[in-house]
Amino acid sequence: MALLILGLILFLGVHSTRIMADGWRTQMIAKVGEKPWKGVYALLSLAGFVLLVWGYGLARQSPVLLWTPPAGMRHLAALLMLLSFILLVATYVPRNAIKATVHHPMLLSVKVWALAHLLANGTLAGAVLFGAFLVWAVCCFKAARGRDRAAQTVYPPGTATGTAITMAVGLVAWAGFAFWAHGVLIGVRPLG
């Protein structure tokens, strides 16, 4: 569990500089330059990610059960994950109505992903991992929306084509992950 917690502190800590120390972040980028900042950011993020994946894998070997999720939670989690994939894709597809409406679909995707996994997992390690990501995503979303209001950011309106592409790619990505990749990468087949 210690590796998981250390990985979370490092990964989410690095990804929280914008909400916890935006002025310091801006000063450091000005001082060292954007590319070196991004390089250090990427290395620390990667180290944190490796530690949290490794730590979660170790914690799964000796699970501490906090509760037993009802069988229906797995189905609800799968449905929520479809929404999470669509939101994730909306981050990258230009001119879609989802991004035009919510403005920060990746952060919403992380929130939905974390909630879905909290509902479907009843272990201490799951509560720590997914709970930490949920709290982080809520804080980041609030901070990002606040920056948008302060800067009076205007997002371009979505188009029917951009939205249809977003939905289709999200559905295909979800199906591939739910029916195949999750089992191969995580060792759990959420849909059998």
Side-chain angles (χ1 to χ4, degrees):
M1 187 71 80
L3 284 176
L4 170 60
I5 293 169
L6 179 61
L8 284 167
I9 290 169
L10 188 56
F11 184 82
L12 295 179
V14 167
H15 284 84
S16 296
T17 55
R18 194 90 196 264
I19 59 173
M20 302 297 284
D22 197 28
W24 175 81
R25 176 186 171 272
T26 303
Q27 289 174 349
M28 291 304 294
I29 291 171
K31 182 178 178 180
V32 301
E34 188 173 353
K35 286 185 181 180
W37 170 265
K38 285 183 176 180
V40 171
Y41 186 98
L43 287 174
L44 290 173
S45 296
L46 181 60
F49 185 73
V50 167
L51 286 172
L52 74 87
V53 168
W54 185 17
Y56 186 68
L58 291 174
R60 284 178 58 195
Q61 293 175 10
S62 303
V64 175
L65 192 64
L66 298 177
W67 72 88
T68 302
M73 285 300 164
R74 190 167 63 160
H75 298 92
L76 177 58
L79 183 61
L80 288 171
M81 284 308 300
L82 173 58
L83 175 60
S84 180
F85 270 89
I86 291 169
L87 287 165
L88 181 62
V89 171
T91 304
Y92 300 103
V93 175
R95 303 292 303 252
N96 68 79
I98 297 167
K99 186 170 187 174
T101 303
V102 302
H103 303 174
H104 299 281
M106 182 177 284
L107 291 172
L108 286 177
S109 176
V110 172
K111 281 200 253 186
V112 173
W113 167 82
L115 177 62
H117 285 79
L118 278 171
L119 293 173
N121 292 282
T123 64
L124 176 61
V128 169
L129 175 66
F130 304 118
F133 269 93
L134 181 58
V135 169
W136 171 82
V138 166
C139 293
C140 279
F141 186 78
K142 182 179 178 188
R145 291 300 295 255
R147 283 191 305 272
D148 283 353
R149 281 190 298 279
Q152 298 181 346
T153 304
V154 176
Y155 287 82
T159 64
T161 302
T163 305
I165 290 169
T166 299
M167 301 287 280
V169 171
L171 177 62
V172 170
W174 169 81
F177 203 79
F179 289 103
W180 178 75
H182 198 280
V184 171
L185 296 172
I186 312 299
V188 176
R189 301 181 74 73
L191 296 176

